[in-house]
Amino acid sequence: MKYLDFPIGTHKVNGVDISFRCFGSGPLIVLLHGYPQNNLIWHKIAPLLAQDFSVLAPDLRGYGESEKPDASNGDHSIYCKKTLARDVMELVDRLGHGAFHVVGHDRGARVAHRMALDFPDRILSLTSLDVTPSQAAFEAMDASLAFAWFHWHLMRQPYPLPETLIGNSAPQYFDFLMERWCATEGAISSEFMEKYRKSFCNPAAVHASCAEYRSVELDLEHDEHDRGRLLDCPVLVLWGADTRKRPGWQTGSSLNMVEAWKERARNVNGRALECGHFIPEEKPQELLAALREQFASIGQE
């Protein structure tokens, strides 16, 4: 079956309606998307993973078809990673699963990291796609990283400034991000690009994503509380090496991706892939092979 043929479900968990696709059988893999996309980013690899695993691909709170709570009151707990992690964990519980693997791209990797900190007995492995831990990135912020992460600094501004600026030209803003962050021509089809654009370009989605980025203020407080805690689960780190259109991305001039994760986990391995930011769509076969190798190494293949 094609990914779009798998049915969409919705459950109310942690007080919000979360939309998801869940299919396959076997050990569970949770796939968490990033910004500015939704669960559709997994359409190339999820059906193949489902040949051997159960696959759960939700839309994070505030994204895709999931509920988008209003956070204009400045309450960062509405969209902080602790909250999003609990959303996903309650969804897993609701679907009757125990321990699982989690694969996160972009924002999804930050949620996955928080899940591994808050629910360590439930995470079999963590795979981070094109993400440096938030705390490491902000503490090493330099001019090149700040340039690459202009959207962070824009969306962190108080409500309603970023919502107004982005909302006034949402299609142009979205197209700029997707073009700059993708390094593989034709990797994202016009069909899926239009689906992402339609999902992103509405006021509720723009507000929710800004609120989620603003919540990094609280995320960093939570990270500081957990400073020095090392994850016990195996961690696979993959990132896009082609940063010609996004110089400074994730690491700036001083960070090393693997070393940054080694400061937060006991068992880390990783490598760069010749692509841009959207690994699941730019390098699906390479990602699939890396995931299978990771799962096999811990007896889950």
Side-chain angles (χ1 to χ4, degrees):
M1 290 178 65
K2 294 182 178 179
Y3 187 75
L4 293 177
D5 293 331
F6 291 103
I8 300 173
T10 302
H11 283 321
K12 184 172 286 295
V13 293
N14 200 22
V16 297
D17 290 327
I18 297 295
S19 177
F20 63 91
R21 283 181 166 89
C22 190
F23 47 91
S25 61
L28 179 66
I29 303 174
V30 175
L31 303 175
L32 303 178
H33 69 86
Y35 174 87
Q37 296 171 300
N38 51 52
N39 79 80
L40 296 181
I41 193 175
W42 308 110
H43 70 98
K44 292 183 180 180
I45 71 164
L48 299 174
L49 286 172
Q51 295 173 3
D52 303 293
F53 297 90
S54 296
V55 175
L56 171 60
D59 284 333
L60 296 173
R61 168 191 298 231
Y63 290 86
E65 298 301 315
S66 287
E67 190 173 343
K68 300 166 180 62
D70 181 84
S72 57
N73 63 356
D75 182 356
H76 297 313
S77 70
I78 295 172
Y79 283 101
C80 73
K81 302 307 170 293
K82 270 187 174 289
T83 297
L84 273 63
R86 182 164 292 281
D87 290 349
V88 177
M89 189 58 67
E90 290 192 12
L91 179 60
V92 171
D93 290 342
R94 178 77 176 270
L95 295 171
H97 292 281
F100 56 92
H101 304 278
V102 60
V103 181
H105 173 252
D106 189 88
R107 315 303 291 170
R110 303 187 192 285
V111 177
H113 186 193
R114 177 43 59 185
M115 291 172 70
L117 286 166
D118 290 355
F119 308 98
D121 58 326
R122 300 290 298 279
I123 307 301
L124 298 173
S125 72
L126 186 161
T127 299
S128 168
L129 303 181
D130 211 42
V131 162
T132 302
S134 301
Q135 187 180 54
F138 276 94
E139 291 181 350
M141 188 69 65
D142 59 16
S144 62
L145 182 51
F147 181 81
W149 277 16
F150 82 95
H151 61 298
W152 277 82
H153 304 299
L154 169 61
M155 289 192 285
R156 288 185 66 194
Q157 299 304 312
Y159 173 86
L161 178 65
E163 284 90 340
T164 302
L165 297 179
I166 295 170
N168 283 343
S169 52
Q172 292 84 354
Y173 179 83
F174 171 84
D175 289 348
F176 175 82
L177 296 183
M178 298 299 290
E179 191 280 327
R180 296 290 291 185
W181 295 353
C182 185
T184 307
E185 187 72 25
I188 305 175
S189 70
S190 58
E191 175 190 10
F192 279 88
M193 188 69 79
E194 184 55 35
K195 291 181 183 296
Y196 295 137
R197 185 184 292 109
K198 182 177 180 181
S199 176
F200 178 85
C201 294
N202 71 78
V206 170
H207 167 64
S209 60
C210 289
E212 192 260 306
Y213 270 82
R214 270 194 292 264
S215 74
V216 72
E217 181 177 336
L218 184 54
D219 294 335
L220 291 173
E221 291 181 17
H222 294 153
D223 289 346
E224 181 60 30
H225 180 268
D226 289 316
R227 187 186 289 272
R229 279 186 59 195
L230 297 179
L231 304 181
D232 289 321
C233 67
V235 175
L236 173 63
V237 181
L238 303 172
W239 65 97
D242 190 338
T243 59
R244 288 173 294 176
K245 294 192 294 183
R246 50 185 190 135
W249 185 258
Q250 294 295 329
T251 58
S253 60
S254 62
L255 286 175
N256 176 282
M257 188 75 80
V258 171
E259 292 303 316
W261 279 101
K262 283 184 175 180
E263 293 183 5
R264 288 156 179 84
R266 302 181 193 281
N267 179 3
V268 179
N269 68 89
R271 62 184 182 274
L273 302 178
E274 283 303 317
C275 64
H277 182 52
F278 303 111
I279 293 173
E281 291 174 293
E282 295 187 59
K283 291 292 182 180
Q285 293 303 320
E286 290 85 342
L287 172 57
L288 187 64
L291 291 175
R292 291 194 178 281
E293 180 182 353
Q294 172 81 337
F295 301 150
S297 72
I298 54 178
Q300 290 288 332
E301 176 64 290

